[in-house]
Amino acid sequence: MVKDHRETLLRISREAESGGGSARMESQHQKGKLTARERIAVLLDPGSFGEIDKFRLHDCHDFDMKEKSYYGDGVVTGFGTIEGTDVFVYAQDFTVLGGSLSRSHARKICKVMDMAADAGAPIIGLNDSGGARVQEGIDALAGYGEIFLRNVRYSGLIPQITAILGPCAGGAVYSPAVQDFVLMTRRTSHMFVTGPKVVKTVLHEDVTTADLGGAQVHGTVSGAAHIVKETEHEVIEEIRRLVCFLARKEVAEQSLPKKKEPVFKRPAKRESLWDIIPGDLRKPYNIRDVITQVIDIESMIEISQDFAKNIVTCFARIGGIGIGIIANQPNHFAGVLDIKASRKAARFIRFCDAFGVPIVTLEDVPGFMPGKDQEQNGIIVNGAKLLYAYAEATVPKLTVILRKAYGGAYIVMSSRHLLADMVFAWPHAEIAVMGAEGAVEVLYSKQAGSNGQVTEHEFRQQKIQEYSDFFLNPYRAAEKGYIDAIIDPDETRERLLGALRLFAAKQQVLPAKKHGNIPL
């Protein structure tokens, strides 16, 4: 009798693990995609997966659905570990009814989300679904609503990461949209509210799936995808890197590395930061060259790398301490702040603040992007998002002004006035309302050389030099206490590490209120 029970369990387990059958699994492989269970096996530490609701079935009997019932109902859910860190996971199974979402399917996802919140563990979604199960009508839509509610309720409480590994269309896209990080594969994933057929019917436009909602579009234009990789294995490996960074206790508690670990994990080849900044301060350079000389070797995880390239956002470590970096990129639009850059940085700052990750700002910004397009499309509102995010953040905030810090952009980029904890400046930093040429244009627009002793051009150049000598340096700001220290660039890493240790126990409480009203 006992043996019979064991055989029954093994038989039903094998049936559940077979998904939609070998033919559909082979079809999945031919598309260059893994199955749901294969993805989980790559994601989690070997032998750590504990499945939940393996034998759950849907309860829809309409449209002959009683004859189309599979154990698990198109989604594999459970828990496991990534490098020893507890996580919860759900992986939609496209081999079962196209991974379509039913009420039962949604409730499985909601259950592991609730468990993740109770355990304080990250939740990881591996999406591959044809959307709502049409046969279930409003029940399927209700299922999406229950998932969305949890996405919002647990936002800032636990990290939420989702990978789009196939189709994600219609209402389904809003769950990834409110999660912390969205990853996509370059060729096999797409995400859109309305598909090409609807666009053709309504707008009479021919558009491909890739052009409408492929990874290239969301990684470079819309910003909806934060990390884009070539293959599913690369996407899943990046998820593992993110989890290892975000879920470690030292991120929340900012505990220092153990004595056995090297405190200074310097770059293998150390380059002087004096040599990275061009002698002509108007020439561009790659801010990543500065970042890699400051952080621990191979610790950088860049977010939204191909979106709003004029600003760089990344996770990294300095002396083993996890940080989030926001850095203007001088070799793209001179590092100017525009609508997309402001949105990108603001969202990253708010994530760091929610999960206790200190923020390091590397500033070289000539101002906000001018022009009719920027003004009409909301540079004021979007720039204010960045201001709001910095001002609201209570984690340790460290700023290094590398070169330019002009006008409103100087204030917005984590200045002392927005309660940065420590502000450093390099000796050639330029902190002013605007550049010398623009300032002279305003100050001396109605004046020229007097008594014919100098030409108008010579007079203007003289005033530009005077303005530069007096204002375009960090010493005026230091005299007023707006800069805490003017440092040798090659001391940047050590000064940041010292400040991170100094403010590790920082506790700042904002005034009690329900929530602020960030300019959306």
Side-chain angles (χ1 to χ4, degrees):
M1 181 67 70
V2 173
K3 185 177 179 181
D4 291 342
H5 286 304
R6 182 183 182 187
E7 289 177 351
T8 299
L9 173 61
L10 292 174
R11 175 179 56 80
I12 297 177
S13 291
R14 284 194 296 268
E15 185 176 342
E17 291 166 8
S18 67
S22 58
R24 290 195 178 100
M25 287 184 178
E26 180 58 30
S27 175
Q28 188 87 336
H29 291 155
Q30 289 175 356
K31 296 173 185 175
K33 298 163 64 177
L34 300 174
T35 65
R37 292 181 183 277
E38 289 170 343
R39 288 164 177 161
I40 290 175
V42 175
L43 176 68
L44 300 180
D45 296 337
S48 70
F49 181 53
E51 190 165 353
I52 297 170
D53 283 343
K54 185 174 186 176
F55 305 129
R56 190 154 188 166
L57 298 169
H58 70 69
D59 55 6
C60 176
H61 296 166
D62 298 325
F63 303 101
D64 299 321
M65 286 301 294
K66 189 175 182 180
E67 309 302 321
K68 301 175 182 178
S69 188
Y70 298 82
Y71 287 117
D73 200 26
V75 62
V76 182
T77 59
F79 56 90
T81 61
I82 294 177
E83 297 294 337
T85 295
D86 293 325
V87 299
F88 286 78
V89 61
Y90 60 91
Q92 293 178 311
D93 187 349
F94 197 79
T95 71
V96 175
L97 302 173
S100 58
L101 185 135
S102 67
R103 180 172 64 175
S104 175
H105 181 126
R107 285 179 175 174
K108 286 185 65 175
I109 294 174
C110 290
K111 179 186 281 190
V112 291
M113 292 178 75
D114 291 340
M115 288 179 171
D118 289 341
I123 179 77
I124 301 167
L126 305 176
N127 291 29
D128 189 1
S129 169
R133 191 171 298 170
V134 177
Q135 295 92 333
E136 292 207 12
I138 191 66
D139 276 342
L141 298 181
Y144 275 125
E146 291 175 9
I147 293 171
F148 300 163
L149 174 66
R150 285 165 174 79
N151 289 139
V152 174
R153 183 157 290 173
Y154 300 147
S155 179
L157 181 66
I158 54 172
Q160 299 181 52
I161 303 170
T162 189
I164 310 300
L165 301 174
C168 184
V173 301
Y174 292 109
S175 177
V178 294
Q179 293 189 46
D180 297 309
F181 298 107
V182 177
L183 298 88
M184 296 182 76
T185 55
R186 200 170 296 281
R187 290 187 296 275
T188 58
S189 60
H190 55 265
M191 181 168 54
F192 41 65
V193 176
T194 52
K197 292 182 180 179
V198 176
V199 173
K200 174 69 172 177
T201 301
V202 176
L203 300 177
H204 309 291
E205 293 179 1
D206 288 312
V207 62
T208 66
T209 298
D211 289 340
L212 187 63
Q216 183 69 15
V217 170
H218 290 308
T220 62
V221 181
S222 75
H226 304 105
I227 296 174
V228 175
K229 294 293 181 180
E230 294 295 330
T231 68
E232 290 191 14
H233 281 88
E234 290 175 322
V235 163
I236 293 171
E237 180 57 33
E238 203 69 2
I239 293 175
R240 286 180 61 88
R241 290 188 69 207
L242 273 172
V243 168
C244 289
F245 183 93
L246 299 174
R248 294 178 63 154
K249 290 183 179 180
E250 70 178 73
V251 174
E253 301 172 359
Q254 281 308 295
S255 59
L256 299 176
K258 297 176 182 178
K259 291 182 180 180
K260 293 181 181 179
E261 299 177 1
V263 175
F264 290 97
K265 304 173 185 176
R266 294 179 180 273
K269 183 180 178 181
R270 199 92 195 276
E271 183 179 350
S272 174
L273 291 173
W274 285 102
D275 298 331
I276 292 176
I277 305 296
D280 183 346
L281 298 184
R282 292 171 296 183
K283 287 186 177 180
Y285 62 93
N286 192 338
I287 193 63
R288 291 185 183 87
D289 293 338
V290 175
I291 294 172
T292 54
Q293 291 301 311
V294 171
I295 65 174
D296 297 352
I297 188 169
E298 297 181 353
S299 68
M300 182 175 177
I301 305 174
E302 190 161 353
I303 305 300
S304 300
Q305 180 174 345
D306 297 319
F307 175 72
K309 293 183 179 181
N310 38 324
I311 202 160
V312 172
T313 53
C314 65
F315 295 110
R317 294 184 185 277
I318 296 180
I321 299 176
I323 59 172
I325 296 176
I326 298 92
N328 306 109
Q329 176 59 289
N331 73 358
H332 193 84
F333 296 153
V336 71
L337 290 174
D338 61 5
I339 290 170
K340 289 184 176 180
S342 298
R343 280 175 41 211
K344 171 181 169 178
R347 191 178 192 278
F348 184 75
I349 291 163
R350 285 171 67 82
F351 177 87
C352 291
D353 187 51
F355 291 99
V357 180
I359 296 168
V360 172
T361 302
L362 302 178
E363 183 174 356
D364 188 348
V365 61
F368 282 92
M369 178 75 83
K372 178 180 176 181
D373 176 72
Q374 287 287 308
E375 295 292 354
Q376 291 186 351
N377 286 287
I379 185 60
I380 295 174
V381 172
N382 285 280
K385 292 175 185 176
L386 181 56
L387 181 159
Y388 194 107
Y390 268 126
E392 182 187 47
T394 59
V395 293
K397 295 182 288 189
L398 311 177
T399 302
V400 184
I401 301 176
L402 311 183
R403 191 168 62 170
K404 294 183 178 70
Y406 291 167
Y410 152 71
I411 303 171
V412 167
M413 288 293 294
S414 195
S415 64
R416 166 65 62 190
H417 323 294
L418 299 186
L419 299 184
D421 295 293
M422 192 76 78
V423 180
F424 302 111
W426 287 0
H428 41 266
E430 301 178 347
I431 306 168
V433 174
M434 61 181 68
E437 289 84 354
V440 168
E441 219 32 68
V442 172
L443 294 171
Y444 302 102
S445 61
K446 296 181 181 180
Q447 296 181 24
S450 59
N451 301 323
Q453 294 178 354
V454 294
T455 66
E456 184 174 343
H457 174 72
E458 290 172 335
F459 176 80
R460 188 170 181 274
Q461 292 304 119
Q462 176 186 333
K463 294 303 179 184
I464 288 174
Q465 188 61 51
E466 289 176 2
Y467 185 90
S468 298
D469 292 342
F470 188 77
F471 282 110
L472 296 189
N473 61 70
Y475 299 100
R476 302 289 82 75
E479 288 171 4
K480 299 178 182 296
Y482 301 146
I483 301 296
D484 297 301
I486 300 170
I487 64 173
D488 183 318
D490 288 337
E491 295 178 356
T492 302
R493 175 185 165 90
E494 287 71 22
R495 297 301 289 266
L496 287 174
L497 179 57
L500 286 168
R501 292 175 179 276
L502 185 64
F503 290 101
K506 175 187 175 183
Q507 292 186 341
Q508 180 183 353
V509 179
L510 296 176
K513 56 185 174 182
K514 186 172 183 180
H515 58 72
N517 187 19
I518 186 170
L520 298 174

